[in-house]
Amino acid sequence: MLDAIGAGQAPRIGDRDWGDRWRSSPEFANIQEDIVRMKSQRMQEVGSNFKTDEKEYATPLWHQIKIVNWRTHLSFWRSPNYGFTRLFNHVAIALLTGLAYLQLDDSRSSLQYRVFVIFQATVLPALILAQVEPKYDLSRLIFYRESAAKAYKQFPFALSMVLAEIPYSILCAVGFFLPLYYIPGFQSASSRAGYQFFMILITELFSVTLGQMVAALTPSSFISMLLNPFLIIVFALFCGVTIPKSQIPGFWRAWLYQLDPFTRLIGGMVVTELHDRPVRCTPAEFNTFTSPPGQNCGEYMSSFFQNGGAGYLAQNATDMCQYCAYKVGDQFYEPLSFSFDNRWRDLGIFAAFIGSNLLLLFIGSRYLNFNRR
């Protein structure tokens, strides 16, 4: 081809350059006329139409939510290792805890054991945070790539991550609740068991949204995992069980105790389990003492019980007194400043923490962009 037009090694064929021949040909003139005609026709078509709004995204928000949500659910379904590992951890810990406290009786020591079992629910956030944060971080990398092409907004991405976790949260809550609750022999009444399951389910959702919120506010999962121990320790330390409310320093008791989600979790579950539960001390749990001369045990302890003293006497008519520190479970948790009347209030406040997590999650995903490209 180069030789034919005279640009190669061979001499040019003819006395004129092929480019000059083309520019002076009638075909070139026809092409120019066609271009001018198409340009004028297009300008007339554009001028006759109303001006359309120029939008940043080609599809509306609701369409983005539907498509991204379906795709995220499909992605979770195609990642069975993520869901199975999470479910296995829940069931394994619940089984170990339930078998360690197998069929508790009504003794005084069993009151403390029941609180220990309930306190195991605070392990869930530590497990879930370690799994949710890397999952969110990896999905966010894909979102950064697709958001650069204006495929969808930040809100559909964050919302789809929350919705995709809900089925797995319900399944894990069931797998954790059944062994943890029924193997130790907790109260089986529907009003008690139903409330406890709701608390476990809210704990699941709270932990998921907390992990996603922390991941949204940090540049990578490595940074977010550094915050997890601090959060879990603070939550467990100021919930009113490890340190009773009355013994927490006033500065922390005034605000951190009230803002601690575990305060609502532990308080609601403890009072639901121990309320009106009778206590029967074993022989080793009785406090034995002798009443003063001329008085039996009932006469000697009457003023104590009349003034609201807890516990009961095994025998009132003798001078060898056997005293049990608790008569019902309410007397065990009242020094912890828990109240059965506040259990639904605590559930509502605990659920409200999910809303605060979602608010911070959506704000972080909207205004914090850690994409380095």
Side-chain angles (χ1 to χ4, degrees), residues 229-292:
F230 171 77
L231 293 175
I232 299 302
I233 291 174
V234 170
F235 288 168
L237 193 60
F238 294 98
C239 68
V241 173
T242 52
I243 305 176
K245 179 182 178 181
S246 59
Q247 300 179 16
I248 298 177
F251 174 76
W252 304 113
R253 185 173 64 248
W255 64 280
L256 189 54
Y257 171 81
Q258 302 296 338
L259 292 178
D260 190 344
F262 286 3
T263 301
R264 313 303 169 182
L265 168 64
I266 300 300
M269 295 187 70
V270 167
V271 300
T272 301
E273 172 58 26
L274 299 186
H275 178 64
D276 287 340
R277 174 173 284 279
V279 180
R280 298 291 179 264
C281 286
T282 62
E285 293 174 342
F286 281 107
N287 296 318
T288 304
F289 58 91
T290 304
S291 63

Side-chain angles (χ1 to χ4, degrees), residues 9-285:
Q9 297 180 356
R12 183 176 61 191
I13 301 176
D15 56 350
R16 295 181 60 190
D17 185 74
W18 282 32
D20 295 337
R21 290 176 178 271
W22 164 250
R23 282 188 288 269
S24 60
S25 65
E27 289 83 359
F28 179 74
N30 293 334
I31 292 296
Q32 284 186 317
E33 291 177 359
D34 291 338
I35 293 175
V36 172
R37 179 180 55 80
M38 287 188 292
K39 289 177 64 176
S40 61
Q41 181 181 357
R42 181 57 181 165
M43 291 178 64
Q44 292 176 359
E45 293 176 355
V46 173
S48 62
N49 294 331
F50 293 101
K51 185 177 181 180
T52 57
D53 295 333
E54 296 181 358
K55 298 182 179 180
E56 184 178 5
Y57 297 92
T59 57
L61 178 61
W62 178 243
H63 181 76
Q64 296 177 28
I65 292 175
K66 290 192 297 183
I67 297 301
V68 176
N69 183 47
W70 172 81
R71 193 185 68 172
T72 306
H73 276 81
L74 185 61
S75 175
F76 274 64
W77 176 256
R78 291 175 176 176
S79 303
N81 291 337
Y82 173 76
F84 175 78
T85 304
R86 183 171 160 190
L87 178 62
F88 173 80
N89 289 335
H90 281 69
V91 174
I93 292 177
L95 281 175
L96 289 175
T97 304
L99 293 175
Y101 297 98
L102 181 63
Q103 292 300 307
L104 297 173
D105 54 21
D106 294 329
S107 64
R108 188 180 72 178
S109 59
S110 292
L111 296 176
Q112 187 68 58
Y113 295 153
R114 293 177 190 276
V115 176
F116 288 162
V117 173
I118 292 172
F119 199 75
Q120 284 296 101
T122 63
V123 177
L124 293 182
L127 295 175
I128 297 174
L129 289 178
Q131 291 183 288
V132 168
E133 290 169 351
K135 183 72 172 178
Y136 184 92
D137 189 27
L138 292 175
S139 300
R140 183 171 58 181
L141 295 177
I142 300 175
F143 163 71
Y144 284 152
R145 182 187 65 197
E146 296 178 338
S147 66
K150 300 299 181 181
Y152 51 89
K153 296 181 179 180
Q154 297 87 351
F155 179 73
F157 161 72
L159 181 63
S160 66
M161 292 297 295
V162 174
L163 296 179
E165 292 279 2
I166 291 179
Y168 300 93
S169 297
I170 296 175
L171 182 61
C172 290
V174 173
F176 184 82
F177 170 77
L178 293 178
L180 187 77
Y181 193 83
Y182 289 104
I183 293 179
F186 279 20
Q187 298 198 40
S188 59
S190 58
S191 61
R192 304 295 179 93
Y195 178 90
Q196 303 286 40
F197 175 73
F198 280 137
M199 277 301 220
I200 295 297
L201 180 59
I202 293 175
T203 304
E204 283 283 332
L205 299 176
F206 166 77
S207 303
V208 169
T209 55
L210 177 65
Q212 293 177 338
M213 181 266 289
V214 173
L217 298 179
T218 52
S220 68
S221 58
F222 299 102
I223 304 300
S224 58
M225 286 185 178
L226 295 177
L227 300 177
N228 295 345
F230 171 77
L231 293 175
I232 299 302
I233 291 174
V234 170
F235 288 168
L237 193 60
F238 294 98
C239 68
V241 173
T242 52
I243 305 176
K245 179 182 178 181
S246 59
Q247 300 179 16
I248 298 177
F251 174 76
W252 304 113
R253 185 173 64 248
W255 64 280
L256 189 54
Y257 171 81
Q258 302 296 338
L259 292 178
D260 190 344
F262 286 3
T263 301
R264 313 303 169 182
L265 168 64
I266 300 300
M269 295 187 70
V270 167
V271 300
T272 301
E273 172 58 26
L274 299 186
H275 178 64
D276 287 340
R277 174 173 284 279
V279 180
R280 298 291 179 264
C281 286
T282 62
E285 293 174 342

